[in-house]
Amino acid sequence: MCGRFAVTLPNDAMAQLFAARPSNSLPFVPNFNVCPTNQVHVVRATNDGRSLDPLRWGFLPHWYKSETAGPLLINARAETLAEKPAFRTACRERRCLIVATGFYEWTKTETGDRLPWYIHRRDNAPIAFAGVWQNWGAEDVRQGTCAIVTTPANRHLSAIHHRMPLILDAGDWPLWLGEAGKGAARLMRPGPEGMLDYFRVDTAVNSNRASGSDLIERVAI
């Protein structure tokens, strides 16, 4: 699962990295505490090449009458992505990349305290989460929404959580976006053991109102 993440790459650098045309209304960066329902940076394939767009993190199926008409769908399980009514069409036709620098997970102590961990690529490269997207709402007020695809955690990450986001290397971006034909299903597997590392961070990030670069600073344990 992924319930909070950070993005620090400048918008122009994101556009260059993904060879995407940037929207004029991209979210502010850096943001060290991206929360569900926030606007996030999403790369999509279009007839005119890739675009870098702001989408609401929280997928809204077309049958929702309001944004709160059902569960908040911030994650989509890879194992059932092609079967669930909410996601199955998006799985075939509307896959995307969601840009991040790192993400957070929590463990619990015996007393129920939530201890946050910051997870990042060991090579410190930006992260491209696999995602799916959906336009929702009436024609005059339609908004783009998205969810992050998750897989079972690999052995290394399972020490702190049983799920992990599906993270794609640059060579896999064309296949996931549909630019390289069919076969994206083979990408839906846990990331390699050596890809990610993690460390404890301050409990300040437990609040969705927290901000600042200190949220991703290592704390002693």
PDB file of all heavy atoms in Angstrom, residues 7 26 30 37 42 46 56-57 75 79 114-115 149 171 176 212:
ATOM      1  N   VAL A   7       7.447  14.362  -3.111  1.00  0.00           N
ATOM      2  CA  VAL A   7       7.944  14.653  -4.456  1.00  0.00           C
ATOM      3  C   VAL A   7       8.734  15.955  -4.388  1.00  0.00           C
ATOM      4  O   VAL A   7       8.216  16.968  -3.923  1.00  0.00           O
ATOM      5  CB  VAL A   7       6.807  14.703  -5.499  1.00  0.00           C
ATOM      6  CG1 VAL A   7       5.739  15.720  -5.136  1.00  0.00           C
ATOM      7  CG2 VAL A   7       7.365  14.978  -6.894  1.00  0.00           C
ATOM      8  N   LEU A  26       0.476  22.473 -12.784  1.00  0.00           N
ATOM      9  CA  LEU A  26       1.042  21.373 -12.002  1.00  0.00           C
ATOM     10  C   LEU A  26       1.110  21.728 -10.525  1.00  0.00           C
ATOM     11  O   LEU A  26       1.245  22.900 -10.162  1.00  0.00           O
ATOM     12  CB  LEU A  26       2.436  21.030 -12.524  1.00  0.00           C
ATOM     13  CG  LEU A  26       2.471  20.380 -13.909  1.00  0.00           C
ATOM     14  CD1 LEU A  26       3.891  20.325 -14.439  1.00  0.00           C
ATOM     15  CD2 LEU A  26       1.857  18.980 -13.871  1.00  0.00           C
ATOM     16  N   PRO A  30       8.782  21.672  -3.850  1.00  0.00           N
ATOM     17  CA  PRO A  30       8.697  20.329  -3.285  1.00  0.00           C
ATOM     18  C   PRO A  30       7.514  20.188  -2.332  1.00  0.00           C
ATOM     19  O   PRO A  30       7.086  21.158  -1.714  1.00  0.00           O
ATOM     20  CB  PRO A  30      10.009  20.192  -2.529  1.00  0.00           C
ATOM     21  CG  PRO A  30      10.344  21.599  -2.112  1.00  0.00           C
ATOM     22  CD  PRO A  30       9.884  22.459  -3.239  1.00  0.00           C
ATOM     23  N   THR A  37      -6.275  12.676  -1.981  1.00  0.00           N
ATOM     24  CA  THR A  37      -7.122  13.758  -2.527  1.00  0.00           C
ATOM     25  C   THR A  37      -6.309  14.969  -2.972  1.00  0.00           C
ATOM     26  O   THR A  37      -6.852  15.869  -3.602  1.00  0.00           O
ATOM     27  CB  THR A  37      -8.273  14.207  -1.592  1.00  0.00           C
ATOM     28  OG1 THR A  37      -7.763  14.990  -0.516  1.00  0.00           O
ATOM     29  CG2 THR A  37      -9.071  13.020  -1.068  1.00  0.00           C
ATOM     30  N   VAL A  42       1.242  13.346 -12.802  1.00  0.00           N
ATOM     31  CA  VAL A  42       0.925  12.115 -13.517  1.00  0.00           C
ATOM     32  C   VAL A  42       1.381  12.225 -14.973  1.00  0.00           C
ATOM     33  O   VAL A  42       1.093  13.222 -15.647  1.00  0.00           O
ATOM     34  CB  VAL A  42      -0.585  11.818 -13.455  1.00  0.00           C
ATOM     35  CG1 VAL A  42      -0.944  10.616 -14.312  1.00  0.00           C
ATOM     36  CG2 VAL A  42      -1.018  11.583 -12.011  1.00  0.00           C
ATOM     37  N   THR A  46      -0.492  10.304 -24.848  1.00  0.00           N
ATOM     38  CA  THR A  46      -1.553  10.872 -25.677  1.00  0.00           C
ATOM     39  C   THR A  46      -1.178  10.672 -27.142  1.00  0.00           C
ATOM     40  O   THR A  46      -0.084  10.212 -27.479  1.00  0.00           O
ATOM     41  CB  THR A  46      -1.734  12.373 -25.397  1.00  0.00           C
ATOM     42  OG1 THR A  46      -0.632  13.096 -25.980  1.00  0.00           O
ATOM     43  CG2 THR A  46      -1.778  12.659 -23.894  1.00  0.00           C
ATOM     44  N   ARG A  56      -6.172  14.220  -9.341  1.00  0.00           N
ATOM     45  CA  ARG A  56      -6.532  13.974  -7.946  1.00  0.00           C
ATOM     46  C   ARG A  56      -6.116  12.565  -7.560  1.00  0.00           C
ATOM     47  O   ARG A  56      -6.458  11.596  -8.243  1.00  0.00           O
ATOM     48  CB  ARG A  56      -8.042  14.128  -7.768  1.00  0.00           C
ATOM     49  CG  ARG A  56      -8.578  13.775  -6.378  1.00  0.00           C
ATOM     50  CD  ARG A  56     -10.104  13.718  -6.455  1.00  0.00           C
ATOM     51  NE  ARG A  56     -10.736  13.579  -5.157  1.00  0.00           N
ATOM     52  CZ  ARG A  56     -11.076  12.425  -4.590  1.00  0.00           C
ATOM     53  NH1 ARG A  56     -10.817  11.286  -5.208  1.00  0.00           N
ATOM     54  NH2 ARG A  56     -11.690  12.394  -3.423  1.00  0.00           N
ATOM     55  N   TRP A  57      -5.374  12.443  -6.443  1.00  0.00           N
ATOM     56  CA  TRP A  57      -5.011  11.113  -5.952  1.00  0.00           C
ATOM     57  C   TRP A  57      -6.193  10.564  -5.163  1.00  0.00           C
ATOM     58  O   TRP A  57      -6.484  10.956  -4.051  1.00  0.00           O
ATOM     59  CB  TRP A  57      -3.759  11.195  -5.090  1.00  0.00           C
ATOM     60  CG  TRP A  57      -3.281   9.858  -4.594  1.00  0.00           C
ATOM     61  CD1 TRP A  57      -3.539   8.636  -5.134  1.00  0.00           C
ATOM     62  CD2 TRP A  57      -2.449   9.619  -3.462  1.00  0.00           C
ATOM     63  NE1 TRP A  57      -2.924   7.644  -4.414  1.00  0.00           N
ATOM     64  CE2 TRP A  57      -2.243   8.223  -3.380  1.00  0.00           C
ATOM     65  CE3 TRP A  57      -1.859  10.454  -2.510  1.00  0.00           C
ATOM     66  CZ2 TRP A  57      -1.487   7.646  -2.378  1.00  0.00           C
ATOM     67  CZ3 TRP A  57      -1.100   9.878  -1.514  1.00  0.00           C
ATOM     68  CH2 TRP A  57      -0.907   8.487  -1.454  1.00  0.00           C
ATOM     69  N   ASN A  75      -5.245   3.234  -3.808  1.00  0.00           N
ATOM     70  CA  ASN A  75      -4.416   2.111  -4.262  1.00  0.00           C
ATOM     71  C   ASN A  75      -5.281   1.110  -5.017  1.00  0.00           C
ATOM     72  O   ASN A  75      -6.481   0.982  -4.750  1.00  0.00           O
ATOM     73  CB  ASN A  75      -3.749   1.402  -3.084  1.00  0.00           C
ATOM     74  CG  ASN A  75      -2.739   2.254  -2.340  1.00  0.00           C
ATOM     75  OD1 ASN A  75      -2.537   2.086  -1.145  1.00  0.00           O
ATOM     76  ND2 ASN A  75      -2.086   3.175  -3.018  1.00  0.00           N
ATOM     77  N   GLU A  79      -3.041  -7.753  -8.312  1.00  0.00           N
ATOM     78  CA  GLU A  79      -3.597  -9.094  -8.470  1.00  0.00           C
ATOM     79  C   GLU A  79      -5.028  -9.081  -8.992  1.00  0.00           C
ATOM     80  O   GLU A  79      -5.471 -10.049  -9.625  1.00  0.00           O
ATOM     81  CB  GLU A  79      -3.569  -9.857  -7.136  1.00  0.00           C
ATOM     82  CG  GLU A  79      -2.186  -9.975  -6.520  1.00  0.00           C
ATOM     83  CD  GLU A  79      -1.904  -8.888  -5.491  1.00  0.00           C
ATOM     84  OE1 GLU A  79      -2.122  -7.695  -5.798  1.00  0.00           O
ATOM     85  OE2 GLU A  79      -1.462  -9.232  -4.377  1.00  0.00           O
ATOM     86  N   ARG A 114       2.236   4.728  16.207  1.00  0.00           N
ATOM     87  CA  ARG A 114       2.557   4.576  14.786  1.00  0.00           C
ATOM     88  C   ARG A 114       3.926   5.189  14.505  1.00  0.00           C
ATOM     89  O   ARG A 114       4.129   6.386  14.728  1.00  0.00           O
ATOM     90  CB  ARG A 114       1.476   5.218  13.924  1.00  0.00           C
ATOM     91  CG  ARG A 114       0.106   4.595  14.097  1.00  0.00           C
ATOM     92  CD  ARG A 114      -0.950   5.334  13.290  1.00  0.00           C
ATOM     93  NE  ARG A 114      -0.793   5.089  11.869  1.00  0.00           N
ATOM     94  CZ  ARG A 114      -0.627   6.032  10.957  1.00  0.00           C
ATOM     95  NH1 ARG A 114      -0.543   7.300  11.323  1.00  0.00           N
ATOM     96  NH2 ARG A 114      -0.518   5.734   9.672  1.00  0.00           N
ATOM     97  N   LEU A 115       4.847   4.374  14.007  1.00  0.00           N
ATOM     98  CA  LEU A 115       6.213   4.811  13.736  1.00  0.00           C
ATOM     99  C   LEU A 115       6.424   4.897  12.227  1.00  0.00           C
ATOM    100  O   LEU A 115       6.300   3.894  11.514  1.00  0.00           O
ATOM    101  CB  LEU A 115       7.213   3.833  14.342  1.00  0.00           C
ATOM    102  CG  LEU A 115       7.078   3.597  15.855  1.00  0.00           C
ATOM    103  CD1 LEU A 115       8.102   2.575  16.313  1.00  0.00           C
ATOM    104  CD2 LEU A 115       7.221   4.908  16.628  1.00  0.00           C
ATOM    105  N   VAL A 149      -0.915   1.544  -8.299  1.00  0.00           N
ATOM    106  CA  VAL A 149      -0.990   0.078  -8.334  1.00  0.00           C
ATOM    107  C   VAL A 149       0.001  -0.485  -7.309  1.00  0.00           C
ATOM    108  O   VAL A 149       1.138  -0.024  -7.205  1.00  0.00           O
ATOM    109  CB  VAL A 149      -0.671  -0.445  -9.741  1.00  0.00           C
ATOM    110  CG1 VAL A 149      -0.700  -1.976  -9.765  1.00  0.00           C
ATOM    111  CG2 VAL A 149      -1.668   0.124 -10.754  1.00  0.00           C
ATOM    112  N   GLY A 171      13.010   1.760 -18.559  1.00  0.00           N
ATOM    113  CA  GLY A 171      12.836   0.876 -19.698  1.00  0.00           C
ATOM    114  C   GLY A 171      11.453   0.273 -19.802  1.00  0.00           C
ATOM    115  O   GLY A 171      11.053  -0.212 -20.878  1.00  0.00           O
ATOM    116  N   TRP A 176       4.156   0.135 -19.961  1.00  0.00           N
ATOM    117  CA  TRP A 176       3.067   0.438 -19.036  1.00  0.00           C
ATOM    118  C   TRP A 176       2.134   1.498 -19.617  1.00  0.00           C
ATOM    119  O   TRP A 176       0.909   1.414 -19.466  1.00  0.00           O
ATOM    120  CB  TRP A 176       3.607   0.899 -17.676  1.00  0.00           C
ATOM    121  CG  TRP A 176       2.504   1.116 -16.692  1.00  0.00           C
ATOM    122  CD1 TRP A 176       1.964   2.312 -16.292  1.00  0.00           C
ATOM    123  CD2 TRP A 176       1.750   0.099 -16.019  1.00  0.00           C
ATOM    124  NE1 TRP A 176       0.943   2.109 -15.409  1.00  0.00           N
ATOM    125  CE2 TRP A 176       0.788   0.759 -15.224  1.00  0.00           C
ATOM    126  CE3 TRP A 176       1.811  -1.298 -16.011  1.00  0.00           C
ATOM    127  CZ2 TRP A 176      -0.120   0.059 -14.424  1.00  0.00           C
ATOM    128  CZ3 TRP A 176       0.901  -1.994 -15.216  1.00  0.00           C
ATOM    129  CH2 TRP A 176      -0.044  -1.314 -14.439  1.00  0.00           C
ATOM    130  N   GLY A 212       7.571  20.354   5.140  1.00  0.00           N
ATOM    131  CA  GLY A 212       8.976  20.699   5.304  1.00  0.00           C
ATOM    132  C   GLY A 212       9.905  19.532   5.076  1.00  0.00           C
ATOM    133  O   GLY A 212       9.547  18.361   5.249  1.00  0.00           O
TER     134      GLY A 212
END
